[in-house]
């Protein structure tokens, strides 16, 4: 439970990043995460407002790899799903309300799509299970577990003590594993 709490603290932990490379199918527009080879623990897609998704023809290889452009679903649906459907190498993608990837133009053959996703929380069910988060922060799990234990045992005096150890470790974990906030330069 303590590790679940830490993972639930943010859905942007670096250790929960995953990459995928999956094949398209001729004349298929929408793909579930499993269609792109993500077998389990899929949470959501990453890199929707950047150039981190790409596509290449499997026949020519990665030398011809190009970036895919993201279009928000409402725009994609309104502009690219009406009327005659174009086919060819996709240049644009979106995520539909069912969390499926939609491509445009419709693939005319097999292409490889590469991108990123966030993995869902890792469950520690067995005694030998090891958390994926960096080992130097594993003690945060211990301190969070002690806070939960003190809460369960109604040992309210101990909660503050254990939390005093937990909060600095959580802060260090956030500093290490969450995206950096950057301030852009002047607007004018």
């Amino acid at each position: 439970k303590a590790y679940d709490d830490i993972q639930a603290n943010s859905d942007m932990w670096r250790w929960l990043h995953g990459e995928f490379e999956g094949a398209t199918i001729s004349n298929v527009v929408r793909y579930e995460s499993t269609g792109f080879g993500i077998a389990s623990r899929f949470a959501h897609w990453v890199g929707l407002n950047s150039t981190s998704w790409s596509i290449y023809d499997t026949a020519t290889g990665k030398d011809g790899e190009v970036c895919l452009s993201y279009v928000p679903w409402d725009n994609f649906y309104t502009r690219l799903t009406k009327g005659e459907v174009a086919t060819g190498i996709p240049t644009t993608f979106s995520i539909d309300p069912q969390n499926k990837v939609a491509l445009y133009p419709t693939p005319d053959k097999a292409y490889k799509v590469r991108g990123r996703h966030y993995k869902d929380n890792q469950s520690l069910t067995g005694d030998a299970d090891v958390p994926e988060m960096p080992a130097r922060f594993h003690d945060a799990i211990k301190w969070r577990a002690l806070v939960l234990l003190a809460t369960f045992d109604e040992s309210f005096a101990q909660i503050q003590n254990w939390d005093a150890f937990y909060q600095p470790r959580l802060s260090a974990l956030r500093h290490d594993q969450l995206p950096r906030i950057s301030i852009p330069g002047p607007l004018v």
Side-chain angles (χ1 to χ4, degrees):
K1 172 74 174 119
Y3 186 45
D4 287 341
D5 285 358
I6 291 170
Q7 291 176 99
N9 197 273
S10 175
D11 64 352
M12 297 175 67
W13 296 117
R14 284 181 25 205
W15 80 83
L16 291 177
H17 277 224
E19 295 179 2
F20 69 89
E21 183 170 333
T24 64
I25 301 169
S26 179
N27 296 316
V28 175
V29 175
R30 297 186 197 184
Y31 299 84
E32 294 187 19
S33 60
T34 55
F36 283 146
I38 304 169
S40 64
R41 292 188 49 216
F42 171 79
H44 60 90
W45 303 106
V46 177
L48 302 183
N49 294 320
S50 69
T51 56
S52 63
W53 285 47
S54 60
I55 191 166
Y56 64 92
D57 188 333
T58 54
T60 59
K62 290 185 179 180
D63 288 342
E65 188 170 16
V66 294
C67 292
L68 285 169
S69 298
Y70 173 76
V71 174
W73 177 249
D74 289 340
N75 295 344
F76 185 95
Y77 183 79
T78 302
R79 292 186 8 235
L80 303 176
T81 63
K82 308 286 192 250
E84 187 175 335
V85 178
T87 60
I89 183 167
T91 57
T92 306
F93 78 101
S94 190
I95 307 300
D96 76 8
Q98 288 76 41
N99 219 13
K100 294 179 185 175
V101 175
L103 299 172
Y104 180 85
T106 300
D108 59 347
K109 62 180 183 175
Y111 298 98
K112 287 285 188 175
V113 175
R114 295 186 335 125
R116 298 180 308 152
H117 68 95
Y118 279 113
K119 296 183 266 182
D120 206 359
N121 288 356
Q122 174 193 17
S123 294
L124 301 179
T125 55
D127 288 342
D129 289 350
V130 177
E132 290 174 345
M133 80 181 205
R136 67 186 180 278
F137 298 109
H138 285 183
D139 60 336
I141 300 169
K142 170 184 69 178
W143 297 119
R144 179 65 187 153
L146 287 168
V147 168
L148 293 172
L149 177 65
T151 303
F152 178 78
D153 285 345
E154 296 182 9
S155 179
F156 301 114
Q158 279 302 107
I159 293 173
Q160 189 173 10
N161 293 337
W162 300 137
D163 199 50
F165 289 102
Y166 170 65
Q167 288 302 326
R169 295 309 295 153
L170 181 62
S171 180
L173 178 64
R174 285 181 181 145
H175 179 74
D176 186 73
Q177 290 291 306
L178 291 178
R180 301 269 190 256
I181 296 173
S182 61
I183 299 172
L187 297 175
V188 181

